[in-house]
Amino acid sequence: MKQSNNCSRSSTTSPREKNSTFRKKRKPDRNIKYRKPYIIPRENQSSIAIEDFEKLGFSTRRRQRPKNEFKKKIMKATIFSWLIDVGIVQEDVKIFSMDEKNKGKIKRDGILCLCCNKILSVANFLVHKGVICDKPYENVYLAYKKDFSLLYYMTKAWNKLEERKWRKMNVIETKDNASDFYDDACMICADGGILMCCEECNSTYHQVCMGVEDVPEGSWYCPYCVCKFCAEPAHENDWLLDCPQCRKRYHWECHQMIEQRNLDLNSIPIAPFCLRSCKEVCDKLARNMVGKRNELDEGYSWTLLHHMEDGSRMFIEDKHLRTMCNSKLAIARRLMEECFEPIQDSANFNRIDFKGFYTAILEKDDEIISVASLRIHGTKLVEMPFIATSEAYRCKGMCRKLMDAIESALCDLNVENLIIPSIPERIESWIERYGFCHLDESMKKEIMVHNTLMFHDSIIISRWIIK
Ligand SMILES: [Zn+2]
Ligand SMILES: [Zn+2]
Ligand SMILES: [Zn+2]
Ligand SMILES: [Zn+2]
Ligand SMILES: [Zn+2]
């Protein structure tokens, strides 16, 4: 086995020319203050969901507020607060429903009704004014442009955000001029050192983390670059298909073999999904879950959101619902930014695939209180890299409310395990209060083959989803 001794960061030769799968990687500097440019293989750039990609810009460390920031008013995670900060509407602008006598004023928390001086959510404002409708944002208008409903401003704010993200994406450094193609950290433990490099993508692994006793002589392929059924890489003049739900890859022939075994006369083909269970999960999410508001007790509700692009399976045709979901995604992201420190290492940005994230939100009266991000790798495994609660609602059982809701949804999807990364200080509380436990050998193996997010400062723990 050939092993390169020079630090790979200074190497400019392409990985293929090196003809070695085993290279010495520099141990990542944990105190790095700058952010390395995101490196994404060029061919993947257009397919990355920006919302999801950007969400990965956090570490699991909670943000420490500078002392003077405490004096500032705590951010409200509401539609109006977002629209005001994006510069789309101004505070105190008059807003009305149907006829102009029913006026209110825009406040960060909601609508200040001018007849009773109470702050109300958009839906409650309409009820208060005797307007019955199921699309509240389409039924309130801003005083200075009477033909446009609030929905128009929400769409405008979302488009502005999307445009900015695309502009940012275009300055991303590609692998051709990047100083180092490979990740600096192991995909399993997120630490540096001597790492095995995949022949196909930019991920790297410790030999021990992969449980590989002898480093292979020739090319070595990581778990994402091989077929999920036969563990072989793509054949010559052929490529691996990509399952839209679990994101695992597979040979068409291997998929056909499995399918023929299961096929009964009435069943329909499931491609491009790798397995029937993946198609079922995706169908359930699209049909019954994404964008659907679920009422809880005491006026709380929870919703599962997903970044929707044209042509995606999760695309919601109804414009009111779609705009509402997009706006809430934007607000949920702001809440995450408030709660977590920006990520300080580049490893998570270099991962080969950022698609497939879902966002669960807990709400009360138009305000988002808790947020969690989820990725469903199939029925065996779901990961939840982030969960955060708005500052004003911490230590009030909100995290528990959202966790219970997520768990019941995962139960409906027939998911078996939920994994989370936890900082060492919080592990005991996850274990005692939420029933998590340390990973056993079979879970470790399961995680090894999935593209989960790892952080330097955290440990992965898991929880069995009880039926
Ligand atoms: Zn009133
Ligand atoms: Zn490792
Ligand atoms: Zn690979
Ligand atoms: Zn195969
Ligand atoms: Zn699949």
Side-chain angles (χ1 to χ4, degrees), residues 226-240:
V226 295
C227 166
K228 81 174 269 181
F229 300 115
C230 71
E232 291 288 322
H235 304 137
E236 219 160 290
N237 307 323
D238 200 3
W239 61 87
L240 295 174

Side-chain angles (χ1 to χ4, degrees), residues 77-194:
T78 60
I79 298 239
F80 287 120
S81 202
W82 172 57
L83 291 176
I84 291 166
D85 289 340
V86 178
I88 295 287
V89 302
Q90 284 87 44
E91 205 167 348
D92 290 330
V93 161
K94 297 240 169 68
I95 190 163
F96 60 91
S97 70
M98 298 308 211
D99 79 82
E100 283 185 55
K101 282 185 208 105
N102 289 329
K103 268 187 197 146
K105 263 186 188 176
I106 289 182
K107 291 283 169 195
R108 283 181 174 267
D109 307 4
I111 300 174
L112 176 72
C113 177
L114 293 182
C115 80
C116 60
N117 245 4
K118 274 188 191 144
I119 301 241
L120 301 164
S121 69
V122 177
N124 288 344
F125 177 73
L126 288 170
V127 171
H128 175 57
K129 297 294 178 193
V131 180
I132 297 157
C133 66
D134 56 355
K135 293 181 176 175
Y137 300 102
E138 242 170 32
N139 283 284
V140 285
Y141 304 87
L142 263 64
Y144 53 62
K145 249 194 182 156
K146 294 178 176 126
D147 301 331
F148 295 101
S149 70
L150 186 60
L151 197 73
Y152 163 81
Y153 295 96
M154 287 155 71
T155 312
K156 211 170 142 185
W158 174 257
N159 291 344
K160 193 174 168 182
L161 218 71
E162 287 287 274
E163 198 187 298
R164 201 182 303 156
K165 272 182 218 156
W166 279 112
R167 228 179 289 139
K168 228 194 269 174
M169 280 298 284
N170 290 336
V171 297
I172 284 171
E173 198 179 342
T174 63
K175 66 177 176 187
D176 298 337
N177 49 11
S179 59
D180 183 10
F181 174 68
Y182 288 111
D183 281 355
D184 287 334
C186 167
M187 286 286 270
I188 309 277
C189 68
D191 217 339
I194 309 273

